[in-house]
Amino acid sequence: MAHVETSPGRQLVLNLFIYPGGHHEAGWRYPGASPERLLDITFYQDLARSAEAAKLDAVFFADGPAQVDNIRFASRFRIEPLTWLAAIAAATTHIGLIGTASTTYYEPYNLARLYASLDHLSGGRAGWNIVTTAVPQASGNFGLAETPSHAERYARAAEFVDVVTKLWDSWEDDALVADPISGVFADDARIHPIEHVGRHFRVKGALNTPRSPQGRPVYVQAGSSDDGRSFAARYAEAIFTAHQTVESAQAFYADIKKQAQSLGRNPDHVKILPGISPYIGSTEAEAKRLYDEVNDLIQPAYSITQLKQITGVDFTGHPLDGVVSLDAFADAGPARTVASRFQLVVDIVKREKPTLRQLIDRLAGARGHYVVVGTPEKIADEIQLWFEKGAADGFNVMPPWFRGGFDLFTSQVVPILRKRGLFRSEYTGKTLREHYGLPRPESLYASEARATA
């Protein structure tokens, strides 16, 4: 079993992963959910205020620049996250604000301005979830005949992050003077054109926005392929990932930390954050009943479409109560190499030999993330186990439905974690970097100037 010794006195990172309607594919149908409020910004502001009251680290919005095929049965639309997070920033004071943006379909200069603006607006609470976007529906929205290959997307992403980093650093910290006595507004010797010329981008710079409160927004990444891991080890400060077992999570954790250290990085500055979707009851039986009630709302036509998107295998016509064979995945095609969840599904089939109904129930709960069913103490025990055994630095909390699933977690699980000394009672800083225990980076250009002095 892979294992990493962890430091005593560590504190959990806990993010609220906000997904329209909840993380169970049928969560929007559960009694008490509020599907009529899914386009109401006050609904999300209220959620973020509750997350802040519980002293969580951040709220997180996923995104993708395409309408996916299976909107008929689930809340699968997307809201542009930076717009939404700006409104949430105005309603909160401490909670971090992480939004997804694609390196395949943005340009570095525009994205650098957007996130720098969010970091200024929020007083230093912005995080960028870096994705390369594999869904085939996106390419046609941007004039491309086909989706760029996996390797090409990651090559572009690496250059993209390098360019954005230079742009965020192009104003040194003391470049903005604003001194009415001398009449000097900015020290232009400390504002640097980046003059980037690369394979994918030519960007002159400098950015037209002063350096933001965090220096740079926090870099977050979510890929689990070999390319994704290498990319994360080089750039990411927090990594969102999906695992079904503590052993799998330990192996991933050890690999990323080792790769980061080999690149000269401090492994403690790379936070590994698996997803967890808790079904909470006062007894085991009550929690199991809740889990079954939500699963009873599943529409198999949607679930089978989801399974095809993850694995590349179409199970239409397969009996729901028939056992899924490993042979079904032999001809999965591109999904075998580009879908980070493919191996996770294969491992479930190999380990548990589920029927198709059981498999889609497993994936419906959180799209392959870890689903835990039990009492608040059991949920806290699992979180503590992963945290202390070198499998996680914290978790993305993925409530099955909103608001109820989240309110149960903050009111019943968080106090247990706090009592065990695993989670904060109060914020000790105001920025997302401070919440995560990450340093504020110095401008690359300040470092270069000192080196040549």
Side-chain angles (χ1 to χ4, degrees):
M1 178 187 298
H3 181 66
V4 171
E5 293 296 329
T6 57
S7 305
R10 292 162 65 233
Q11 291 279 291
L12 280 161
V13 170
L14 294 175
N15 299 326
L16 170 59
F17 185 170
I18 300 177
Y19 203 75
H23 287 274
H24 191 285
E25 66 187 42
W28 66 275
R29 301 180 66 198
Y30 191 72
S34 304
E36 74 283 357
R37 295 191 67 194
L38 294 183
L39 291 172
D40 178 356
I41 186 57
T42 65
F43 179 65
Y44 300 93
Q45 289 172 323
D46 289 345
L47 276 173
R49 279 191 287 255
S50 294
E52 187 167 84
K55 313 306 178 189
L56 267 60
D57 293 80
V59 295
F60 163 54
F61 280 85
D63 191 33
Q67 175 56 60
V68 294
D69 295 334
N70 48 7
I71 189 70
R72 180 174 177 83
F73 297 119
S75 56
R76 294 277 285 160
F77 64 86
R78 289 288 181 271
I79 300 163
E80 193 287 304
L82 289 174
T83 307
W84 234 238
L85 288 170
I88 289 171
T92 55
T93 57
H94 285 75
I95 195 86
L97 308 164
I98 303 172
T100 298
S102 173
T103 57
T104 305
Y105 298 112
Y106 266 100
E107 287 292 322
Y109 199 89
N110 286 340
L111 183 138
R113 294 186 69 214
L114 288 166
Y115 276 93
S117 297
L118 179 63
D119 208 44
H120 280 292
L121 183 152
S122 64
R125 295 186 277 142
W128 171 31
N129 181 42
I130 306 163
V131 299
T132 64
T133 309
V135 295
Q137 298 95 329
S139 56
N141 294 335
F142 295 88
L144 301 181
E146 60 184 11
T147 302
S149 71
H150 182 80
E152 181 68 13
R153 294 198 315 276
Y154 271 97
R156 177 184 164 101
E159 186 179 341
F160 193 113
V161 175
D162 287 341
V163 174
V164 167
T165 301
K166 292 175 187 176
L167 288 168
W168 282 331
D169 285 0
S170 61
W171 286 60
E172 296 182 40
D173 285 319
D174 53 359
L176 182 61
V177 178
D179 179 9
I181 304 301
S182 67
V184 176
F185 185 77
D187 182 349
D188 49 0
R190 288 181 165 84
I191 301 171
H192 306 276
I194 70 170
E195 303 290 0
H196 177 89
V197 178
R199 177 183 168 197
H200 297 91
F201 305 109
R202 296 175 64 93
V203 182
K204 181 175 178 56
L207 195 64
N208 60 351
T209 307
R211 199 151 196 254
S212 73
Q214 294 187 107
R216 306 166 202 152
V218 173
Y219 293 176
V220 183
Q221 198 265 348
S224 295
S225 66
D226 288 344
D227 285 340
R229 292 184 188 212
S230 297
F231 183 90
R234 181 172 297 277
Y235 297 105
E237 296 169 295
I239 300 171
F240 298 161
T241 183
H243 297 278
Q244 290 288 318
T245 67
V246 68
E247 293 82 8
S248 169
Q250 284 175 315
F252 180 87
Y253 187 101
D255 179 48
I256 292 292
K257 299 282 185 171
K258 181 179 179 181
Q259 288 195 50
Q261 190 164 30
S262 73
L263 293 167
R265 301 185 63 196
N266 183 340
D268 290 340
H269 296 162
V270 184
K271 305 298 182 182
I272 311 297
L273 307 174
I276 187 170
S277 189
Y279 292 73
I280 304 166
S282 59
T283 64
E284 292 287 332
E286 182 181 303
K288 180 63 165 59
R289 185 163 59 250
L290 169 63
Y291 180 68
D292 291 341
E293 286 173 355
V294 181
N295 278 341
D296 285 343
L297 300 173
I298 288 173
Q299 303 195 64
Y302 173 86
S303 301
I304 289 170
T305 301
Q306 278 285 87
L307 185 57
K308 181 179 179 181
Q309 288 185 346
I310 293 172
T311 67
V313 179
D314 188 354
F315 284 90
T316 302
H318 189 290
L320 286 174
D321 294 310
V323 174
V324 175
S325 168
L326 276 175
D327 294 341
F329 301 96
D331 298 316
R336 181 186 298 278
T337 56
V338 302
S340 62
R341 306 293 163 81
F342 175 84
Q343 191 61 47
L344 182 148
V345 174
V346 170
D347 288 344
I348 292 173
V349 172
K350 187 183 300 183
R351 185 172 61 247
E352 302 175 18
K353 300 177 176 55
T355 65
L356 180 58
R357 190 188 305 276
Q358 290 168 335
L359 181 59
I360 63 178
D361 282 359
R362 285 291 302 277
L363 298 175
R367 304 176 305 286
H369 289 277
Y370 187 41
V371 172
V372 187
V373 181
T375 63
E377 290 78 12
K378 178 180 176 180
I379 308 301
D381 288 346
E382 284 295 295
I383 289 172
Q384 183 171 0
L385 174 70
W386 286 45
F387 182 58
E388 293 183 344
K389 294 298 183 181
D393 293 308
F395 290 86
N396 267 341
V397 181
M398 303 170 63
W401 83 102
F402 288 114
R403 289 193 40 142
F406 178 59
D407 290 339
L408 285 170
F409 182 81
T410 55
S411 66
Q412 298 187 25
V413 178
V414 169
I416 296 172
L417 297 172
R418 195 169 281 141
K419 186 175 181 180
R420 295 178 184 180
L422 299 172
F423 191 64
R424 69 172 68 86
S425 296
E426 296 293 339
Y427 291 110
T428 56
K430 284 197 169 184
T431 72
L432 181 55
R433 288 188 175 277
E434 289 171 326
H435 299 343
Y436 280 5
L438 299 172
R440 185 183 186 277
E442 186 178 48
S443 165
L444 296 169
Y445 296 95
S447 304
E448 290 174 4
R450 217 177 20 257
T452 58

